[in-house]
C-alpha cells in the first residue's frame, strides 16, 4: 500500500483489494491519478499493471467482491452457445 500512496503523490487511494494469486485492484479518484500510479509501478516494480476505466461516472469505489468471479461480466457481442459440440465430439477434440 505504501508504494501506491507514494506514487499517487498525495492523491487518495479510494479502495484497495488484495486478491488471491497476486491479482489485486486499486481505485483512484481520477483516471489521471490511476495513470500516474500505473506508470510509476511499471518503472519501479516487476508487477504486471493493467489500467481499466469505466465508461460512466460511479459514486464510490468499484471493487469486485472476488477477483476470480466473472459471472456478472458482460462482453458486448459475445454469445454463448451451450452444447455446441456433443460430449463425444468434445472427447475427440480433447483426445
Amino acid at each position: 500500500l505504501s508504494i501506491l500512496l507514494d506514487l499517487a503523490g498525495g492523491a487518495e487511494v479510494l479502495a484497495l483489494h488484495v486478491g488471491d494469486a497476486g491479482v489485486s485492484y486499486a481505485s483512484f479518484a481520477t483516471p489521471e491519478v490511476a495513470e500516474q500510479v500505473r506508470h510509476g509501478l511499471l518503472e519501479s516494480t516487476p508487477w504486471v499493471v493493467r489500467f481499466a476505466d469505466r465508461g460512466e461516472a460511479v459514486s464510490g469505489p468499484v471493487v469486485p467482491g472476488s477477483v476470480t468471479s466473472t459471472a456478472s461480466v458482460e462482453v458486448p457481442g459475445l454469445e454463448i452457445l451451450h452444447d455446441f459440440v456433443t460430449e463425444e465430439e468434445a472427447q475427440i477434440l480433447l483426445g
Side-chain angles (χ1 to χ4, degrees):
L1 180 59
S2 65
I3 192 168
L4 291 177
L5 293 173
D6 290 344
L7 292 171
E12 184 180 2
V13 178
L14 298 179
L16 177 64
H17 174 80
V18 179
D20 298 331
V23 178
S24 301
Y25 293 93
S27 296
F28 301 92
T30 66
E32 293 79 18
V33 172
E35 175 59 25
Q36 173 185 329
V37 172
R38 184 190 73 82
H39 182 73
L41 288 172
L42 289 172
E43 288 188 345
S44 62
T45 69
W47 298 351
V48 175
V49 182
R50 302 276 192 263
F51 176 78
D53 187 13
R54 293 185 60 89
E56 58 195 47
V58 178
S59 63
V62 177
V63 179
S66 168
V67 296
T68 59
S69 174
T70 58
S72 64
V73 174
E74 293 183 27
V75 178
L78 176 66
E79 184 177 340
I80 298 175
L81 303 175
H82 295 282
D83 301 321
F84 181 72
V85 296
T86 66
E87 284 293 324
E88 294 80 23
E89 291 171 324
Q91 290 303 317
I92 292 169
L93 290 170
L94 294 173

